[in-house]
Amino acid sequence: MGERRKQQRKVVTRRDFLRGTAYGTLGVALGLKTVGCSAEATEKGALPVPDDKSALFAAENPTSTLVLIRDKAAVNADRWVNPKVVAAMVDTAVKTLAGEKSTDRAWAEYFRPDDTVGMKITVRVHTAQEIIDALSAGLRSVGIPRERIIVKDRDIRPHAKDFTALINATTIKAHYVTGVAAVLKNYINFDNNYLKYHPNSGVNLGSLWLRPEVKGKTRLVVVDALLPYFGRGDERNLSHRWPYKGIIVGTDPVAADAICVRLVQEMRNRYKGEEWLISPPPRSIAAADTKYKLGTSDPTKIKLIRLGSKEDILI
Amino acid sequence: MRLDELLPAGVDGWTPAGDDEVYDRETIFDYMNGAGEIYLAYDFRRMLVREYTRESGPPIVAEVYEMSSSEDAYGIFTHDTDGDPVSLGQGAFYAAGLVRFWKDRIFARVIAEKETDEAAAAVMSLGTKITEAVPGEGNEPRLVACLPSGGLLKESVRFFHKQVSLNCHYYLADSNILNLGEKTEAVLARYRVGDGKVRLLVVRYRTAEDAQAAYEQFVQSYFSDEADVPGPIHIHEVEGAEFAGARLVDRFVTLVFEAGDEETCERLIESVAQRTEKVFQWEKDANSKER
């Protein structure tokens, strides 16, 4: 009986996840207290966790670099988004990411005048129009005309074959089925049968990025972190929207999602006053790293450049 | 039941804007994308959406969901219980311009796009009119009555059937190790015990054989390092110096997680066993007669 059981596929359980022996570095990204605490777990393959947690997202020789910019004036108490402030945030973030002092040269690092750019936004937790406008302005600064900047959500697929470049312009949302819906999940509309990606907590979401009409086209990942949704229920529940007033910019979708996961987890913990673990674990992030090779999910290999307001930065 | 008759023509100056939208099990995704899976995890039948507008106020959207049973209306209501309890229907919570409530087979949400004092009042007025229009009241699931009352955090109670719902509230494994499905009933709750909180999960299966199979699968998967041979009860120390327990009694599997000690596991498990016997006694007697 024992041997037969061993030969059967081992079920990954909550215990494996909490020990850090499952789903790669996801537990580290979530800040689970139990990860890295057990010698036994280390023997079983748990990844080591730095003693100094501030070392996370602060890699000195990073595999991926992203920019987080926040401004208190980006969103007011009535949740009105300030377009001028947001436009400045987007430009500053892109310049920082590109290592350029000029906005025009920064955008030219990522886009060409002859590009046809698909901007994949989200509607249910809507990408702020102010961010969309700022991104469009940036593309036009490179010389791309309006008619070749295609902003779409659910109906993006028919246009996909025409795109030479993509911007993933998503929001952050805790998700009933996949744990978190942010950068990786944003491309779900490139497949008409999007429900097939929900089983197993969305573990195969990374495969969307390898579709021929998508693969290799994403030049920029922009995460609208102005008002992330961190709850479990209706996304329109305003009490589950956090006025974070941030924007995250990078080129690594997996690293961006790892940061989003950490933010959502911190928001949930603070809201409840105790650990309110994202459930189910967003396995898509680990798989996007190890199986689909789309980027890194390891917080010790990511550098997050933090600009602007540091108040309640959470990460 | 005509869902449109549950909604008023207007309230506090807000009037319907456009036509009602109706969705069923096939089309719910058109309204809420993949979130529809949460409703399909219950026996959801159909829903009606009506938007109300007022010149000097934010839009208000009313959603009325018809479930096949009051138990499932209660269940989907328990999916999210954040907010302040308010007096509407058979249970309701309000937060930031959103009220959620259930009554009989109906679950409803009324949402103001922006919370102003007037919009909040209109949301509650709409909710009141909806509950008044629902003719009767329904039963909570009997399984909920099996939860011990001492230390129970009532807003933590979740009633559901399927793995997708359990995963949303409390991830246990990457596969359906409890064999949850539309024929199973499950209730999940948290308890305050001393300075800590403990989780309790009780699952009722259609047959004792189904429960046995699920229990053995759970023990083999979850306690794979500790238990070689399943017995009717298991309590083990796990990660974080916590204790987890599992017990099989007839058609019921009772699980305890995040307990601070063995005694807590034993006490909760025993209490559930006593309550299930009492609540479902008639069922047990009927089974005995059949044998």
Side-chain angles (χ1 to χ4, degrees):
Chain A
M1 174 71 80
E3 279 304 316
R4 180 156 54 97
R5 195 159 58 243
K6 284 178 186 173
Q7 288 166 10
Q8 292 170 352
R9 172 191 169 278
K10 184 191 181 306
V11 174
V12 173
T13 71
R14 183 183 188 85
R15 297 180 62 189
D16 300 306
F17 175 51
L18 294 179
R19 279 191 289 236
T21 54
Y23 308 149
T25 53
L26 183 58
V28 178
L30 284 166
L32 295 181
K33 298 180 184 60
T34 45
V35 171
C37 293
S38 162
E40 180 187 356
T42 304
E43 284 180 17
K44 291 186 176 182
L47 294 168
V49 179
D51 290 332
D52 180 8
K53 296 294 190 287
S54 67
L56 301 178
F57 303 113
E60 291 186 358
N61 296 302
T63 302
S64 294
T65 299
L66 296 97
V67 177
L68 164 65
I69 185 166
R70 298 174 68 229
D71 193 317
K72 292 181 189 179
V75 184
N76 72 5
D78 289 331
R79 298 177 189 259
W80 174 76
V81 177
N82 189 318
K84 287 185 180 176
V85 170
V86 164
M89 290 167 70
V90 168
D91 280 344
T92 301
V94 174
K95 282 191 295 187
T96 305
L97 186 71
E100 290 283 351
K101 291 183 180 176
S102 154
T103 304
D104 291 352
R105 280 202 295 273
W107 280 96
E109 279 288 313
Y110 303 104
F111 299 93
R112 300 184 302 266
D114 61 350
D115 274 323
T116 297
V117 181
M119 190 185 308
K120 174 63 175 69
I121 64 170
T122 63
V123 170
R124 183 115 177 124
V125 176
H126 207 298
T127 307
Q129 188 61 47
E130 295 77 7
I131 290 180
I132 296 169
D133 293 342
L135 294 174
S136 298
L139 292 172
R140 291 198 302 277
S141 75
V142 177
I144 301 172
R146 288 181 193 275
E147 57 267 25
R148 277 197 271 120
I149 302 170
I150 317 296
V151 181
K152 294 289 181 185
D153 179 28
R154 293 171 93 176
D155 54 345
I156 194 167
R157 189 161 179 263
H159 307 272
K161 60 182 180 349
D162 299 326
F163 301 146
T164 60
L166 288 167
I167 293 182
N168 187 313
T170 187
T171 52
I172 303 176
K173 185 175 79 175
H175 194 271
Y176 321 106
V177 177
T178 62
V180 162
V183 180
L184 289 169
K185 193 171 185 294
N186 188 28
Y187 280 177
I188 203 167
N189 300 109
F190 279 107
D191 190 336
N192 281 342
N193 185 11
Y194 63 86
L195 289 176
K196 75 184 187 193
Y197 296 94
H198 279 185
N200 300 315
S201 312
V203 69
N204 294 321
L205 283 170
S207 67
L208 289 158
W209 290 66
L210 301 178
R211 294 174 67 90
E213 67 271 30
V214 175
K215 187 175 181 181
K217 293 184 181 179
T218 302
R219 309 276 182 83
L220 214 53
V221 168
V222 179
V223 181
D224 174 352
L226 298 174
L227 291 161
Y229 170 76
F230 61 86
R232 176 193 306 112
D234 188 357
E235 296 131 344
R236 292 161 294 176
N237 187 342
L238 296 179
S239 67
H240 289 159
R241 299 291 294 269
W242 190 283
Y244 191 65
K245 307 179 184 183
I247 298 172
I248 301 166
V249 176
T251 57
D252 182 336
V254 186
D257 262 10
I259 291 167
C260 293
V261 158
R262 184 54 175 268
L263 281 176
V264 170
Q265 188 59 62
E266 288 294 325
M267 290 169 189
R268 286 165 74 110
N269 294 350
R270 294 204 184 192
Y271 177 80
K272 290 282 188 181
E274 59 177 347
E275 186 176 81
W276 178 19
L277 195 58
I278 292 171
S279 191
R283 298 167 59 189
S284 59
I285 298 173
D289 182 343
T290 57
K291 180 178 179 181
Y292 297 109
K293 315 291 185 192
L294 298 174
T296 182
S297 60
D298 186 348
T300 64
K301 297 179 180 175
I302 298 169
K303 180 177 180 179
L304 182 64
I305 300 171
R306 299 163 176 83
L307 303 176
S309 172
K310 304 293 189 299
E311 185 179 323
D312 289 333
I313 195 170
L314 304 181
I315 185 171
Chain B
M1 185 186 300
R2 281 190 55 166
L3 297 184
D4 59 338
E5 292 179 349
L6 300 181
L7 290 164
V11 65
D12 300 346
W14 270 268
T15 55
D19 296 330
D20 293 343
E21 298 172 7
V22 178
Y23 302 92
D24 58 23
R25 291 185 69 88
E26 299 294 321
T27 59
I28 190 171
F29 296 111
D30 295 339
Y31 180 65
M32 59 176 69
N33 290 340
E37 287 202 52
I38 292 300
Y39 293 88
L40 296 183
Y42 296 88
D43 200 359
F44 157 78
R45 287 188 173 171
R46 60 196 174 119
M47 68 178 292
L48 184 142
V49 182
R50 180 177 293 176
E51 182 174 335
Y52 294 85
T53 55
R54 193 179 91 166
E55 195 170 313
S56 58
I60 294 176
V61 174
E63 301 170 351
V64 178
Y65 300 76
E66 182 185 16
M67 314 299 283
S68 67
S69 66
S70 62
E71 286 84 354
D72 272 15
Y74 170 86
I76 191 62
F77 168 73
T78 65
H79 180 77
D80 180 8
T81 55
D82 282 345
D84 298 320
V86 291
S87 182
L88 266 185
Q90 292 183 255
F93 289 95
Y94 175 88
L98 164 66
V99 70
R100 308 176 304 282
F101 54 93
W102 76 285
K103 186 181 180 188
D104 195 18
R105 293 188 294 117
I106 298 297
F107 167 70
R109 291 194 303 212
V110 184
I111 312 130
E113 189 174 278
K114 182 178 172 183
E115 187 187 29
T116 64
D117 289 342
E118 286 184 314
V123 163
M124 291 302 296
S125 294
L126 263 171
T128 300
K129 289 190 183 297
I130 294 170
T131 59
E132 288 172 350
V134 178
E137 290 194 344
N139 296 321
E140 288 186 4
R142 282 189 297 157
L143 195 60
V144 175
C146 298
L147 292 173
S149 57
L152 173 64
L153 297 169
K154 289 183 180 175
E155 72 279 3
S156 74
V157 176
R158 311 277 183 252
F159 175 76
F160 51 90
H161 301 281
K162 294 184 177 178
Q163 171 75 357
V164 65
S165 299
L166 174 63
N167 257 352
C168 183
H169 298 303
Y170 195 70
Y171 167 75
L172 269 190
D174 68 347
S175 59
N176 188 5
I177 60 174
L178 287 172
N179 291 344
L180 299 178
E182 61 181 40
K183 300 290 185 191
T184 57
E185 295 182 343
V187 63
L188 176 70
R190 294 184 83 189
Y191 286 77
R192 182 169 296 286
V193 177
D195 294 332
K197 292 179 183 176
V198 180
R199 285 189 205 264
L200 176 67
L201 174 63
V202 184
V203 186
R204 176 180 172 225
Y205 294 84
R206 200 170 55 87
T207 66
E209 290 74 26
D210 288 347
Q212 173 97 25
Y215 173 78
E216 289 180 0
Q217 180 170 260
F218 173 83
V219 170
Q220 289 168 9
S221 301
Y222 209 78
F223 295 134
S224 57
D225 293 338
E226 293 87 5
D228 285 330
V229 179
I233 184 167
H234 279 266
I235 297 176
H236 302 284
E237 184 172 357
V238 295
E239 290 64 38
E242 294 176 341
F243 286 80
R247 183 172 178 186
L248 169 69
V249 176
D250 193 49
R251 300 182 186 192
F252 299 88
V253 172
T254 301
L255 306 173
V256 176
F257 303 99
E258 301 173 21
D261 49 55
E262 277 191 59
E263 182 190 27
T264 299
C265 283
E266 289 170 353
R267 179 171 54 78
L268 276 171
I269 284 172
E270 180 57 31
S271 182
V272 168
Q274 291 176 8
R275 293 180 80 96
T276 52
E277 181 163 352
K278 188 176 176 182
V279 171
F280 291 94
Q281 181 60 42
W282 69 269
E283 207 173 81
K284 196 175 174 185
D285 289 342
N287 289 342
S288 298
K289 285 176 185 172
E290 283 172 6
R291 291 194 202 102

